[in-house]
Every structure is written in C-alpha cells, then in structure tokens.
Amino acid sequence: DQRRGGFREIGPHDGGPEPAKAGKCWWDQWEGLRALFDAHDGGARPAYGPYLRAEWRFIRRHTIDHRNAGTFWYSIDAYGPWRRWLRPR
C-alpha cells in the first residue's frame, strides 16, 4: 500500500482500485519484511533500503501490540473505533 504502508492480503499490484476487503495480516507483513531484507542483500542493492525501512516502520506502528507484548492479527487500522485504545500510550 503505497499510501499507508504495509502489504495487503489481496489486491491489485498495479496501483488499481483497492478491493473492499484488503486486510493487512501480521503474517504478510513479516513475510514481506523478510523478502525486502533478502532483496536488499545486506546493502548490496541499496534501492530496496527505503522500502525495507518503510515496512519495518509500518510493522512497528501498526501490527506490534506494544502494550501487551504481542502482535495484532491485522493492522490496528482494521479495528475501526477500537484502534485508539490499541495504540501505544
């Protein structure tokens, strides 16, 4: 998701319209992080560096439960009105 960050479970990869159910599951985020890390190749391919850092930032802000030391199943944006109680204080 170029606008909000993270990888969607489903959806277009060409920038087309977003499907109605386009969740961002924790598994997809960590697998995406690993793929970007491998593509970055320890700095040998620096073009992937900004994407790697952006994905890690999304994971830290939206999928890690800092309050209870766990991981949300979906990014906290998917929890609607409950998300303000889920964000770290």
Coordinates of all heavy atoms in Angstrom, one line a residue:
D1 N 0.9 -1.2 0.0 CA 0.0 0.0 0.0 C 0.9 1.2 0.0 O 1.5 1.6 1.0 CB -0.9 0.0 1.2 CG -1.9 1.1 1.3 OD1 -1.8 2.0 0.5 OD2 -2.8 1.0 2.1
Q2 N 1.0 1.9 -1.1 CA 2.0 3.0 -1.2 C 1.5 4.2 -0.4 O 2.3 5.0 0.0 CB 2.1 3.4 -2.7 CG 2.8 2.4 -3.5 CD 2.9 2.8 -5.0 OE1 2.5 3.8 -5.3 NE2 3.5 1.9 -5.7
R3 N 0.2 4.3 -0.1 CA -0.2 5.5 0.6 C -0.1 5.3 2.1 O 0.3 6.2 2.8 CB -1.7 5.7 0.2 CG -2.2 7.1 0.7 CD -3.5 7.4 0.2 NE -4.4 6.3 0.7 CZ -5.7 6.3 0.6 NH1 -6.3 7.3 0.0 NH2 -6.4 5.3 1.0
R4 N -0.5 4.1 2.6 CA -0.5 3.9 4.1 C 0.6 2.9 4.6 O 0.8 2.8 5.7 CB -1.8 3.4 4.5 CG -2.9 4.5 4.4 CD -4.2 3.9 4.8 NE -4.6 3.0 3.6 CZ -5.8 2.8 3.2 NH1 -6.8 3.4 3.9 NH2 -6.1 2.1 2.2
G5 N 1.2 2.2 3.6 CA 2.3 1.3 4.0 C 1.7 -0.1 4.2 O 0.5 -0.3 4.3
G6 N 2.6 -1.1 4.3 CA 2.2 -2.5 4.6 C 1.8 -3.2 3.3 O 1.6 -2.6 2.3
F7 N 1.8 -4.5 3.4 CA 1.3 -5.4 2.3 C -0.1 -5.8 2.6 O -0.4 -6.2 3.7 CB 2.2 -6.6 2.2 CG 3.6 -6.3 1.8 CD1 4.6 -6.2 2.7 CD2 3.9 -6.2 0.4 CE1 5.9 -5.9 2.2 CE2 5.1 -5.9 0.0 CZ 6.2 -5.8 0.9
R8 N -0.9 -5.8 1.6 CA -2.3 -6.3 1.7 C -2.3 -7.8 1.4 O -1.5 -8.4 0.7 CB -3.2 -5.7 0.6 CG -3.4 -4.2 0.9 CD -4.6 -3.7 0.0 NE -4.8 -2.3 0.2 CZ -4.4 -1.4 -0.6 NH1 -3.7 -1.7 -1.7 NH2 -4.6 -0.1 -0.4
E9 N -3.3 -8.5 2.0 CA -3.5 -9.9 1.7 C -3.9 -10.1 0.3 O -3.5 -11.1 -0.4 CB -4.6 -10.5 2.6 CG -4.2 -10.7 4.0 CD -5.3 -11.3 4.8 OE1 -6.4 -10.6 4.9 OE2 -5.1 -12.4 5.3
I10 N -4.8 -9.3 -0.2 CA -5.3 -9.4 -1.6 C -5.3 -8.0 -2.2 O -5.2 -7.0 -1.5 CB -6.7 -10.0 -1.7 CG1 -7.7 -9.1 -0.9 CG2 -6.7 -11.4 -1.3 CD1 -9.1 -9.5 -1.2
G11 N -5.3 -7.9 -3.5 CA -5.5 -6.6 -4.1 C -4.6 -6.5 -5.4 O -3.7 -7.3 -5.6
P12 N -4.8 -5.4 -6.1 CA -4.0 -5.2 -7.3 C -2.6 -4.8 -7.0 O -2.3 -4.2 -5.9 CB -4.8 -4.0 -8.0 CG -5.4 -3.3 -6.8 CD -5.7 -4.4 -5.8
H13 N -1.7 -5.2 -7.8 CA -0.3 -4.9 -7.6 C 0.1 -3.8 -8.6 O 1.3 -3.5 -8.7 CB 0.6 -6.1 -7.8 CG 0.2 -7.2 -6.8 ND1 0.5 -7.1 -5.5 CD2 -0.5 -8.3 -6.9 CE1 0.1 -8.2 -4.8 NE2 -0.5 -8.9 -5.7
D14 N -0.8 -3.3 -9.3 CA -0.5 -2.3 -10.3 C -1.1 -0.9 -10.0 O -1.2 0.0 -10.8 CB -1.1 -2.7 -11.7 CG -2.6 -2.8 -11.6 OD1 -3.2 -2.6 -10.6 OD2 -3.2 -3.1 -12.7
G15 N -1.4 -0.7 -8.7 CA -1.9 0.6 -8.3 C -3.4 0.8 -8.6 O -3.9 1.9 -8.4
G16 N -4.1 -0.2 -9.0 CA -5.5 -0.1 -9.3 C -6.4 0.1 -8.0 O -5.9 0.3 -7.0
P17 N -7.7 0.1 -8.2 CA -8.6 0.3 -7.0 C -8.4 -0.8 -6.0 O -8.2 -1.9 -6.3 CB -10.0 0.4 -7.6 CG -9.9 -0.3 -8.9 CD -8.5 -0.1 -9.4
E18 N -8.6 -0.3 -4.7 CA -8.5 -1.2 -3.6 C -9.7 -2.1 -3.4 O -10.8 -1.5 -3.5 CB -8.2 -0.4 -2.4 CG -8.1 -1.1 -1.1 CD -7.8 -0.2 0.1 OE1 -7.1 0.8 -0.1 OE2 -8.3 -0.4 1.1
P19 N -9.6 -3.4 -3.2 CA -10.8 -4.2 -3.0 C -11.5 -3.9 -1.7 O -10.8 -3.3 -0.8 CB -10.3 -5.6 -3.1 CG -8.8 -5.5 -2.8 CD -8.4 -4.2 -3.3
A20 N -12.7 -4.3 -1.5 CA -13.4 -4.0 -0.3 C -12.8 -4.6 0.9 O -12.7 -4.0 2.0 CB -14.9 -4.4 -0.4
K21 N -12.3 -5.8 0.8 CA -11.6 -6.5 1.9 C -10.1 -6.6 1.6 O -9.8 -7.5 0.9 CB -12.2 -7.8 2.2 CG -13.6 -7.8 2.8 CD -13.9 -9.1 3.5 CE -15.1 -8.8 4.4 NZ -14.9 -9.2 5.7
A22 N -9.4 -5.7 2.0 CA -7.9 -5.7 1.7 C -7.2 -5.6 3.0 O -6.5 -4.6 3.3 CB -7.6 -4.6 0.8
G23 N -7.3 -6.6 3.9 CA -6.6 -6.6 5.2 C -5.1 -6.7 5.1 O -4.5 -7.1 4.1
K24 N -4.5 -6.3 6.2 CA -3.1 -6.4 6.3 C -2.7 -7.2 7.5 O -2.5 -6.8 8.6 CB -2.5 -5.0 6.4 CG -2.7 -4.1 5.2 CD -2.2 -2.7 5.4 CE -2.6 -1.9 4.2 NZ -2.2 -0.5 4.4
C25 N -2.7 -8.5 7.3 CA -2.4 -9.5 8.3 C -0.9 -9.5 8.7 O 0.0 -9.2 7.9 CB -2.8 -10.9 7.7 SG -2.5 -12.3 8.9
W26 N -0.7 -9.8 10.0 CA 0.7 -9.8 10.5 C 1.6 -10.7 9.7 O 2.7 -10.4 9.5 CB 0.7 -10.2 12.0 CG 0.4 -11.6 12.3 CD1 -0.9 -12.2 12.4 CD2 1.3 -12.7 12.3 NE1 -0.8 -13.5 12.6 CE2 0.5 -13.9 12.6 CE3 2.7 -12.8 12.2 CZ2 1.1 -15.1 12.7 CZ3 3.2 -14.1 12.3 CH2 2.5 -15.2 12.6
W27 N 1.1 -11.9 9.3 CA 1.9 -12.8 8.6 C 2.5 -12.2 7.3 O 3.7 -12.3 7.0 CB 1.1 -14.1 8.3 CG 1.9 -15.1 7.6 CD1 2.0 -15.3 6.2 CD2 2.7 -16.1 8.2 NE1 2.8 -16.4 5.9 CE2 3.3 -16.9 7.1 CE3 3.1 -16.4 9.5 CZ2 4.2 -17.9 7.3 CZ3 4.0 -17.5 9.7 CH2 4.5 -18.2 8.6
D28 N 1.6 -11.5 6.6 CA 2.0 -10.9 5.3 C 3.1 -9.8 5.5 O 4.0 -9.7 4.7 CB 0.8 -10.3 4.6 CG -0.3 -11.3 4.2 OD1 0.1 -12.4 3.8 OD2 -1.4 -11.0 4.4
Q29 N 2.9 -9.1 6.6 CA 3.9 -8.0 6.9 C 5.3 -8.6 7.2 O 6.3 -8.1 6.7 CB 3.4 -7.2 8.1 CG 2.0 -6.6 7.9 CD 1.8 -6.0 6.6 OE1 2.5 -5.2 6.1 NE2 0.7 -6.4 6.0
W30 N 5.3 -9.7 8.0 CA 6.6 -10.2 8.4 C 7.3 -11.0 7.2 O 8.5 -10.9 7.0 CB 6.5 -11.2 9.6 CG 6.3 -10.4 10.8 CD1 5.1 -10.1 11.4 CD2 7.3 -9.7 11.6 NE1 5.3 -9.3 12.5 CE2 6.6 -9.0 12.7 CE3 8.6 -9.5 11.5 CZ2 7.2 -8.3 13.6 CZ3 9.3 -8.8 12.5 CH2 8.6 -8.2 13.5
E31 N 6.4 -11.6 6.4 CA 7.0 -12.3 5.1 C 7.5 -11.2 4.2 O 8.5 -11.4 3.5 CB 5.9 -13.1 4.5 CG 5.6 -14.4 5.2 CD 6.8 -15.4 5.2 OE1 7.5 -15.5 4.2 OE2 6.9 -16.1 6.2
G32 N 6.7 -10.1 4.1 CA 7.2 -9.0 3.2 C 8.5 -8.4 3.7 O 9.3 -8.1 2.9
L33 N 8.6 -8.2 5.0 CA 9.8 -7.7 5.6 C 11.0 -8.6 5.2 O 12.1 -8.1 4.8 CB 9.7 -7.5 7.1 CG 10.9 -6.9 7.8 CD1 11.0 -5.4 7.4 CD2 10.8 -7.1 9.3
R34 N 10.8 -9.9 5.4 CA 11.9 -10.9 5.0 C 12.2 -10.8 3.6 O 13.4 -10.8 3.2 CB 11.4 -12.3 5.4 CG 12.4 -13.4 5.0 CD 13.7 -13.2 5.7 NE 14.7 -14.1 5.1 CZ 15.5 -14.8 5.8 NH1 15.4 -14.8 7.1 NH2 16.3 -15.6 5.2
A35 N 11.2 -10.7 2.7 CA 11.5 -10.6 1.2 C 12.3 -9.3 0.9 O 13.2 -9.4 0.1 CB 10.2 -10.6 0.5
L36 N 11.9 -8.2 1.5 CA 12.6 -7.0 1.3 C 14.1 -7.0 1.9 O 15.0 -6.5 1.3 CB 11.9 -5.8 1.9 CG 10.6 -5.4 1.2 CD1 9.8 -4.4 2.1 CD2 10.9 -4.8 -0.1
F37 N 14.2 -7.7 3.0 CA 15.6 -7.9 3.6 C 16.4 -8.7 2.6 O 17.6 -8.3 2.4 CB 15.5 -8.6 4.9 CG 16.8 -8.7 5.6 CD1 17.4 -7.7 6.3 CD2 17.4 -10.0 5.6 CE1 18.6 -7.8 6.9 CE2 18.6 -10.1 6.3 CZ 19.2 -9.1 6.9
D38 N 15.9 -9.8 2.1 CA 16.6 -10.6 1.1 C 17.0 -9.8 -0.1 O 18.1 -9.9 -0.7 CB 15.9 -11.8 0.8 CG 15.8 -12.9 1.9 OD1 16.6 -12.7 2.9 OD2 15.0 -13.8 1.9
A39 N 16.0 -9.0 -0.6 CA 16.2 -8.2 -1.8 C 17.3 -7.1 -1.6 O 18.1 -6.8 -2.5 CB 14.9 -7.6 -2.3
H40 N 17.3 -6.6 -0.4 CA 18.3 -5.5 0.0 C 19.7 -6.1 0.0 O 20.6 -5.4 -0.2 CB 17.9 -4.9 1.3 CG 18.7 -3.8 1.8 ND1 18.9 -2.7 1.0 CD2 19.4 -3.6 2.9 CE1 19.7 -1.8 1.7 NE2 20.0 -2.4 2.8
D41 N 19.8 -7.4 0.4 CA 21.0 -8.2 0.3 C 22.1 -7.5 1.1 O 23.2 -7.3 0.7 CB 21.4 -8.4 -1.1 CG 22.5 -9.5 -1.3 OD1 22.6 -10.3 -0.4 OD2 23.2 -9.4 -2.3
G42 N 21.8 -7.1 2.3 CA 22.8 -6.5 3.2 C 23.4 -5.2 2.8 O 24.5 -4.9 3.1
G43 N 22.7 -4.5 1.9 CA 23.1 -3.2 1.4 C 23.7 -3.3 0.0 O 24.1 -2.3 -0.6
A44 N 23.8 -4.5 -0.5 CA 24.4 -4.7 -1.8 C 23.5 -4.1 -2.9 O 23.9 -3.7 -4.0 CB 24.7 -6.2 -2.1
R45 N 22.2 -4.1 -2.6 CA 21.2 -3.5 -3.5 C 20.5 -2.4 -2.8 O 19.4 -2.6 -2.2 CB 20.2 -4.5 -4.0 CG 20.9 -5.5 -5.0 CD 20.0 -6.5 -5.6 NE 20.1 -7.7 -4.8 CZ 19.3 -8.7 -5.0 NH1 18.3 -8.7 -5.8 NH2 19.5 -9.8 -4.3
P46 N 21.1 -1.2 -2.7 CA 20.5 -0.1 -1.8 C 19.1 0.4 -2.3 O 18.5 1.0 -1.5 CB 21.6 1.0 -1.9 CG 22.3 0.7 -3.1 CD 22.3 -0.8 -3.3
A47 N 18.7 0.1 -3.5 CA 17.4 0.6 -3.9 C 16.3 0.0 -3.1 O 15.2 0.6 -3.0 CB 17.2 0.2 -5.4
Y48 N 16.5 -1.1 -2.4 CA 15.4 -1.7 -1.6 C 15.5 -1.2 -0.1 O 14.5 -1.4 0.6 CB 15.6 -3.2 -1.5 CG 15.2 -3.9 -2.8 CD1 16.2 -4.2 -3.8 CD2 13.9 -4.2 -3.1 CE1 15.8 -4.7 -5.0 CE2 13.5 -4.8 -4.3 CZ 14.5 -5.0 -5.3 OH 14.1 -5.6 -6.4
G49 N 16.5 -0.4 0.2 CA 16.6 0.1 1.6 C 15.4 0.9 2.0 O 14.9 0.7 3.1
P50 N 14.9 1.9 1.2 CA 13.8 2.7 1.7 C 12.5 1.9 1.9 O 11.8 2.1 2.8 CB 13.6 3.7 0.6 CG 14.9 3.8 -0.1 CD 15.5 2.4 0.0
Y51 N 12.3 0.9 1.1 CA 11.1 0.0 1.2 C 11.3 -0.9 2.5 O 10.3 -1.1 3.2 CB 11.0 -0.9 0.0 CG 10.8 -0.1 -1.3 CD1 11.8 0.0 -2.2 CD2 9.6 0.7 -1.5 CE1 11.7 0.7 -3.4 CE2 9.5 1.4 -2.7 CZ 10.5 1.4 -3.6 OH 10.4 2.2 -4.7
L52 N 12.5 -1.3 2.7 CA 12.7 -2.2 3.9 C 12.4 -1.3 5.2 O 11.7 -1.8 6.1 CB 14.1 -2.7 3.9 CG 14.6 -3.5 5.1 CD1 13.8 -4.8 5.2 CD2 16.1 -3.8 4.9
R53 N 12.9 -0.1 5.2 CA 12.7 0.8 6.4 C 11.3 1.1 6.5 O 10.7 1.2 7.6 CB 13.6 2.0 6.3 CG 15.1 1.7 6.5 CD 15.9 3.0 6.6 NE 16.0 3.7 5.3 CZ 16.9 3.3 4.4 NH1 17.7 2.3 4.5 NH2 16.9 4.0 3.2
A54 N 10.6 1.4 5.4 CA 9.2 1.8 5.5 C 8.3 0.6 6.0 O 7.4 0.8 6.8 CB 8.7 2.2 4.1
E55 N 8.6 -0.6 5.5 CA 7.9 -1.8 6.0 C 8.1 -2.0 7.5 O 7.2 -2.3 8.2 CB 8.2 -3.0 5.2 CG 7.5 -4.3 5.7 CD 6.0 -4.2 5.6 OE1 5.5 -3.3 4.9 OE2 5.4 -5.1 6.1
W56 N 9.4 -1.9 8.0 CA 9.6 -2.0 9.4 C 8.9 -1.0 10.2 O 8.4 -1.3 11.3 CB 11.1 -2.0 9.6 CG 11.5 -2.1 11.1 CD1 12.3 -1.2 11.8 CD2 11.1 -3.1 12.0 NE1 12.4 -1.7 13.1 CE2 11.7 -2.8 13.2 CE3 10.4 -4.3 11.9 CZ2 11.5 -3.6 14.4 CZ3 10.2 -5.1 13.0 CH2 10.8 -4.8 14.2
R57 N 8.9 0.2 9.7 CA 8.1 1.3 10.4 C 6.6 1.0 10.5 O 6.0 1.2 11.5 CB 8.4 2.6 9.6 CG 7.8 3.8 10.3 CD 8.2 5.2 9.7 NE 8.2 5.1 8.2 CZ 9.3 5.2 7.4 NH1 10.5 5.2 8.0 NH2 9.2 5.2 6.1
F58 N 6.1 0.4 9.4 CA 4.7 0.1 9.4 C 4.4 -1.0 10.4 O 3.5 -1.0 11.2 CB 4.2 -0.4 8.0 CG 2.8 -0.9 8.0 CD1 1.8 0.1 7.8 CD2 2.4 -2.2 8.1 CE1 0.4 -0.3 7.8 CE2 1.1 -2.6 8.1 CZ 0.1 -1.7 8.0
I59 N 5.3 -2.0 10.4 CA 5.1 -3.1 11.4 C 5.2 -2.6 12.8 O 4.3 -2.9 13.7 CB 6.2 -4.2 11.2 CG1 5.9 -5.0 9.9 CG2 6.3 -5.2 12.4 CD1 7.0 -5.9 9.5
R60 N 6.1 -1.8 13.1 CA 6.3 -1.2 14.5 C 5.0 -0.4 14.9 O 4.6 -0.5 16.0 CB 7.5 -0.3 14.6 CG 8.8 -1.1 14.7 CD 10.0 -0.2 15.1 NE 9.8 1.2 14.8 CZ 10.4 1.8 13.8 NH1 11.2 1.1 12.9 NH2 10.3 3.1 13.6
R61 N 4.5 0.4 14.0 CA 3.4 1.3 14.3 C 2.0 0.6 14.2 O 1.1 1.1 14.9 CB 3.4 2.5 13.3 CG 4.6 3.4 13.5 CD 4.5 4.6 12.5 NE 5.6 5.5 12.7 CZ 5.9 6.4 11.9 NH1 5.2 6.6 10.8 NH2 6.9 7.2 12.1
H62 N 1.9 -0.4 13.4 CA 0.5 -0.9 13.2 C 0.3 -2.3 13.5 O -0.9 -2.7 13.5 CB 0.2 -0.6 11.7 CG 0.1 0.8 11.3 ND1 -0.9 1.6 11.5 CD2 1.1 1.6 10.7 CE1 -0.6 2.8 11.1 NE2 0.6 2.8 10.6
T63 N 1.3 -3.2 13.7 CA 1.0 -4.6 13.9 C 1.5 -5.1 15.3 O 1.0 -6.1 15.8 CB 1.6 -5.5 12.8 OG1 3.0 -5.4 12.8 CG2 1.0 -5.1 11.5
I64 N 2.5 -4.4 15.9 CA 3.0 -4.8 17.2 C 2.2 -4.2 18.3 O 1.9 -3.0 18.3 CB 4.5 -4.4 17.3 CG1 5.3 -5.2 16.3 CG2 5.0 -4.7 18.7 CD1 6.8 -4.8 16.3
D65 N 1.7 -5.1 19.2 CA 1.0 -4.7 20.4 C 2.0 -4.3 21.4 O 2.5 -5.2 22.2 CB 0.0 -5.8 20.8 CG -0.8 -5.4 22.0 OD1 -0.6 -4.3 22.5 OD2 -1.7 -6.2 22.4
H66 N 2.3 -3.1 21.5 CA 3.3 -2.6 22.5 C 2.9 -2.7 23.9 O 3.7 -2.8 24.8 CB 3.8 -1.2 22.2 CG 4.4 -1.0 20.8 ND1 5.7 -1.3 20.6 CD2 3.8 -0.7 19.6 CE1 6.0 -1.1 19.3 NE2 4.9 -0.7 18.7
R67 N 1.6 -2.6 24.1 CA 1.0 -2.7 25.5 C 1.1 -4.1 26.1 O 1.4 -4.2 27.2 CB -0.4 -2.1 25.4 CG -1.0 -2.0 26.8 CD -2.4 -1.4 26.8 NE -2.3 -0.1 26.2 CZ -3.4 0.6 25.8 NH1 -4.6 0.1 26.0 NH2 -3.2 1.8 25.4
N68 N 0.7 -5.1 25.3 CA 0.7 -6.5 25.8 C 1.8 -7.4 25.2 O 1.7 -8.6 25.4 CB -0.7 -7.0 25.4 CG -1.8 -6.3 26.1 OD1 -1.8 -6.1 27.3 ND2 -2.7 -5.8 25.2
A69 N 2.7 -6.8 24.6 CA 3.9 -7.5 24.0 C 3.5 -8.7 23.1 O 3.8 -9.8 23.4 CB 4.8 -8.0 25.2
G70 N 2.7 -8.4 22.1 CA 2.3 -9.4 21.1 C 2.2 -8.7 19.8 O 2.7 -7.7 19.5
T71 N 1.4 -9.4 18.9 CA 1.1 -8.9 17.6 C -0.4 -8.9 17.3 O -1.1 -9.9 17.7 CB 1.8 -9.9 16.6 OG1 3.2 -9.9 16.9 CG2 1.7 -9.4 15.2
F72 N -0.9 -7.9 16.7 CA -2.3 -7.9 16.3 C -2.4 -8.7 15.0 O -1.5 -8.8 14.2 CB -2.7 -6.4 15.9 CG -2.7 -5.5 17.1 CD1 -1.8 -4.4 17.1 CD2 -3.6 -5.7 18.2 CE1 -1.8 -3.5 18.2 CE2 -3.6 -4.8 19.2 CZ -2.7 -3.7 19.2
W73 N -3.5 -9.4 14.9 CA -3.8 -10.3 13.8 C -3.8 -9.5 12.5 O -3.2 -9.8 11.5 CB -5.1 -11.1 14.0 CG -5.3 -12.1 12.9 CD1 -6.0 -12.0 11.8 CD2 -4.7 -13.4 12.9 NE1 -5.9 -13.2 11.0 CE2 -5.1 -14.0 11.7 CE3 -3.8 -14.1 13.7 CZ2 -4.7 -15.3 11.3 CZ3 -3.4 -15.3 13.4 CH2 -3.8 -16.0 12.2
Y74 N -4.5 -8.3 12.5 CA -4.5 -7.4 11.4 C -3.9 -6.1 11.9 O -3.9 -5.8 13.1 CB -5.9 -7.2 10.9 CG -6.4 -8.3 10.0 CD1 -7.1 -9.4 10.5 CD2 -6.0 -8.4 8.7 CE1 -7.5 -10.4 9.8 CE2 -6.4 -9.4 7.9 CZ -7.2 -10.4 8.4 OH -7.6 -11.5 7.6
S75 N -3.5 -5.2 11.0 CA -3.0 -3.9 11.5 C -4.1 -3.2 12.2 O -5.3 -3.4 12.0 CB -2.6 -3.1 10.3 OG -3.7 -2.7 9.5
I76 N -3.7 -2.4 13.2 CA -4.7 -1.8 14.1 C -5.7 -0.9 13.3 O -6.8 -0.6 13.8 CB -4.1 -1.0 15.2 CG1 -3.1 0.1 14.7 CG2 -3.4 -1.9 16.2 CD1 -2.6 1.0 15.8
D77 N -5.4 -0.4 12.1 CA -6.3 0.3 11.3 C -7.6 -0.4 11.0 O -8.6 0.2 10.8 CB -5.6 0.8 10.0 CG -4.5 1.7 10.3 OD1 -4.5 2.4 11.3 OD2 -3.5 1.7 9.5
A78 N -7.5 -1.7 11.0 CA -8.6 -2.6 10.7 C -9.7 -2.7 11.8 O -10.8 -3.1 11.6 CB -8.2 -4.0 10.3
Y79 N -9.3 -2.2 13.0 CA -10.2 -2.3 14.1 C -11.1 -1.1 14.4 O -11.8 -1.0 15.4 CB -9.3 -2.6 15.4 CG -8.6 -3.9 15.3 CD1 -7.3 -4.0 15.0 CD2 -9.3 -5.1 15.6 CE1 -6.7 -5.2 14.9 CE2 -8.7 -6.3 15.5 CZ -7.4 -6.4 15.2 OH -6.7 -7.6 15.1
G80 N -11.1 -0.2 13.4 CA -12.1 0.9 13.4 C -12.0 1.7 14.7 O -11.0 2.2 15.1
P81 N -13.2 1.9 15.3 CA -13.3 2.8 16.5 C -12.4 2.3 17.7 O -12.1 3.0 18.6 CB -14.7 2.8 16.8 CG -15.4 1.7 16.2 CD -14.5 1.3 15.0
W82 N -12.1 1.0 17.7 CA -11.3 0.5 18.8 C -9.8 0.8 18.7 O -9.1 0.7 19.7 CB -11.4 -1.1 18.9 CG -12.8 -1.5 19.2 CD1 -13.7 -1.9 18.3 CD2 -13.4 -1.6 20.5 NE1 -14.9 -2.2 18.9 CE2 -14.7 -2.0 20.3 CE3 -12.9 -1.3 21.7 CZ2 -15.6 -2.2 21.4 CZ3 -13.8 -1.4 22.8 CH2 -15.1 -1.9 22.6
R83 N -9.4 1.3 17.6 CA -7.9 1.5 17.4 C -7.3 2.5 18.3 O -6.1 2.4 18.7 CB -7.6 1.8 15.9 CG -8.1 3.1 15.5 CD -7.7 3.3 14.0 NE -8.5 4.4 13.5 CZ -9.1 4.4 12.4 NH1 -9.0 3.4 11.6 NH2 -9.8 5.4 12.0
R84 N -8.1 3.5 18.8 CA -7.5 4.5 19.7 C -7.1 3.8 21.0 O -6.1 4.3 21.7 CB -8.3 5.7 19.9 CG -9.6 5.5 20.7 CD -10.3 6.8 20.9 NE -11.6 6.5 21.5 CZ -12.2 7.4 22.3 NH1 -11.6 8.5 22.6 NH2 -13.3 7.1 22.8
W85 N -7.7 2.8 21.4 CA -7.4 2.1 22.7 C -6.2 1.1 22.4 O -5.6 0.6 23.4 CB -8.6 1.3 23.3 CG -9.5 2.3 23.9 CD1 -9.3 2.9 25.1 CD2 -10.7 2.7 23.4 NE1 -10.4 3.7 25.4 CE2 -11.3 3.6 24.3 CE3 -11.5 2.5 22.2 CZ2 -12.5 4.3 24.1 CZ3 -12.7 3.1 22.1 CH2 -13.2 4.0 23.0
L86 N -6.0 0.7 21.2 CA -4.9 -0.2 20.9 C -3.6 0.4 20.6 O -2.6 -0.2 20.8 CB -5.3 -1.0 19.6 CG -6.6 -1.8 19.7 CD1 -7.0 -2.4 18.4 CD2 -6.5 -2.9 20.7
R87 N -3.6 1.7 20.3 CA -2.3 2.4 20.0 C -1.5 2.5 21.3 O -2.0 2.6 22.4 CB -2.5 3.8 19.5 CG -3.1 3.8 18.1 CD -2.7 5.0 17.4 NE -3.3 5.1 16.1 CZ -2.7 4.6 15.0 NH1 -1.6 3.9 15.1 NH2 -3.3 4.7 13.8
P88 N -0.1 2.5 21.2 CA 0.7 2.6 22.4 C 0.5 4.0 23.0 O 0.3 5.0 22.3 CB 2.1 2.4 21.8 CG 2.0 2.6 20.4 CD 0.6 2.3 20.0
R89 N 0.6 4.0 24.3 CA 0.4 5.3 25.0 C 1.7 6.0 25.2 O 2.8 5.5 25.3 CB -0.2 5.1 26.3 CG -1.7 4.6 26.2 CD -2.3 4.3 27.5 NE -3.6 3.7 27.2 CZ -4.6 3.8 28.0 NH1 -4.5 4.5 29.1 NH2 -5.7 3.3 27.7

